[in-house]
Amino acid sequence: MKRIRNEITAASSGKSIFLTLAGFGFLVILFFLGGKESFKKIVNGRIFFVILSFISIFFLNLVSTLRWRIIIRTLNIKTPLSLPHFFYYTISSRAAALVLPQSVADLGIRTLILKYVSKSSYNRAFFTIVIDRVLDLIISFIFIIPTLLVASGSI
């Protein structure tokens, strides 16, 4: 169990450094390829809302991570992962969704990581993601119904 945790920590720290440097490199390339004007608009615009959006996205991802962790613990799946590891793998699946369909990235990355670190079956790991997606759907319906009522003028 300790060996798996050490491997995950070592792998995630090296990957996170690489991905951080790659992200900054990508921003520099975009900046020099014509992003100067877009960057000026962001800085000169309402920077408060830009910062607020980043903070909101961070907390929404944190809530999603906590929900996935609660689902795993409710199903009695033993895993050595701490909250930062859960957050890292949730963010990794969201990042993969930039080039893959969201469901493929979610089902692929988080399922395989959970299967690997918890030594549980693929079906149990897959089931945690399915429950998470169903909860996403329920929450969406909770917000869509009042929105439609307001938009139609009923309220």
Side-chain angles (χ1 to χ4, degrees):
M1 191 74 109
K2 191 173 185 177
R3 181 183 62 82
I4 292 172
R5 182 175 287 159
N6 290 339
E7 287 177 9
I8 291 171
T9 304
S12 63
S13 66
K15 285 180 189 175
S16 62
I17 291 171
F18 171 75
L19 291 174
T20 302
L21 291 175
F24 281 124
F26 185 69
L27 284 175
V28 168
I29 290 170
L30 284 178
F31 183 74
F32 286 112
L33 291 178
K36 291 179 184 178
E37 293 173 19
S38 298
F39 186 73
K40 285 180 185 176
K41 287 181 182 179
I42 290 173
V43 172
N44 293 334
R46 298 184 182 217
I47 193 74
F48 170 75
F49 292 113
V50 173
I51 293 170
L52 184 65
S53 68
F54 279 110
I55 292 170
S56 299
I57 289 169
F58 172 79
F59 281 111
L60 289 172
N61 283 319
L62 185 62
V63 167
S64 178
T65 300
L66 289 170
R67 185 179 61 208
W68 184 43
R69 186 177 178 198
I70 290 169
I71 292 168
I72 290 169
R73 291 196 174 167
T74 303
L75 294 174
N76 292 325
I77 298 175
K78 305 291 185 225
T79 177
L81 297 177
S82 63
L83 183 61
H85 288 108
F86 277 107
F87 187 75
Y88 174 77
Y89 293 120
T90 301
I91 295 297
S92 297
S93 70
R94 301 272 164 90
L98 296 173
V99 293
L100 297 171
Q102 175 67 35
S103 57
V104 172
D106 232 6
L107 295 173
I109 292 176
R110 293 198 294 170
T111 300
L112 292 176
I113 289 298
L114 185 60
K115 180 187 179 310
Y116 173 73
V117 298
S118 68
K119 304 293 185 199
S120 65
S121 69
Y122 179 79
N123 290 337
R124 282 188 77 169
F126 181 78
F127 189 61
T128 63
I129 306 303
V130 170
I131 291 173
D132 192 36
R133 300 299 293 207
V134 167
L135 289 174
D136 279 340
L137 187 65
I138 291 170
I139 291 170
S140 295
F141 279 128
I142 289 172
F143 284 103
I144 285 174
I145 293 170
T147 304
L148 292 176
L149 290 173
V150 169
S152 68
S154 299
I155 294 181

